[in-house]
Amino acid sequence: MIIPSIKSKLETSSHPIAQALHQNTSFRVLAIAFKKGMVLKAHKAHKPSKLFVLEGAVNYTENNKTVSLRQYEETDIPVEIIHEVEAIEDSLCLLTQGD
C-alpha cells in the first residue's frame, strides 16, 4: 500500500515524501505527503499538472502569487512555470501529470 508507506517514511523525514500511485507513458499520478512546514522547493512541471489536497492544507506559490488549498481543493499547475508547495498543516496531496 503506497499511501501508508509514504506516511510511515514521512515520520523520520525532513522533506516531503512522494511516490507514484499509477503511471504509463502519457500520465503519472503521485501521492505526496508533508509534515507541517515542509516545502517542495521551487521547480517546474514539464507536463500539464493538477495538485489536489486529500488531507490537510498547503500553500501553492507561482509568480509571487500564493493560493491556499484545503482538503478537497485543487489547482492547475502550468507547464514550465516555477512553483513551490508549502504545507501549512500535515498534508497528503495527489499530483496528476500528463495530457
Side-chain angles (χ1 to χ4, degrees):
M1 295 280 124
I2 293 170
I3 290 176
S5 173
I6 65 172
K7 283 186 165 187
S8 176
K9 291 176 186 174
L10 186 65
E11 292 175 13
T12 58
S13 181
S14 59
H15 56 82
I17 301 293
Q19 189 170 341
L21 289 172
H22 188 62
Q23 64 186 9
N24 71 20
T25 57
S26 62
F27 78 91
R28 180 166 66 163
V29 179
L30 297 173
I32 308 171
F34 298 83
K35 287 183 202 170
K36 180 180 178 178
M38 286 183 168
V39 176
L40 191 57
K41 295 186 182 193
H43 62 284
K44 293 180 182 180
H46 303 296
K47 293 183 176 185
S49 302
K50 182 175 291 239
L51 181 68
F52 181 85
V53 179
L54 286 176
E55 298 174 358
V58 300
N59 284 333
Y60 169 82
T61 302
E62 74 177 46
N63 296 330
N64 298 317
K65 179 184 97 178
T66 299
V67 177
S68 293
L69 301 169
R70 298 200 135 333
Q71 187 176 32
Y72 308 135
E73 294 181 331
E74 64 198 58
T75 191
D76 289 321
I77 301 173
V79 174
E80 302 302 332
I81 298 296
I82 295 174
H83 61 279
E84 71 179 27
V85 180
E86 179 180 4
I88 52 180
E89 297 176 7
D90 290 353
S91 300
L92 177 65
C93 298
L94 290 182
L95 179 70
T96 61
Q97 299 176 314
D99 300 317

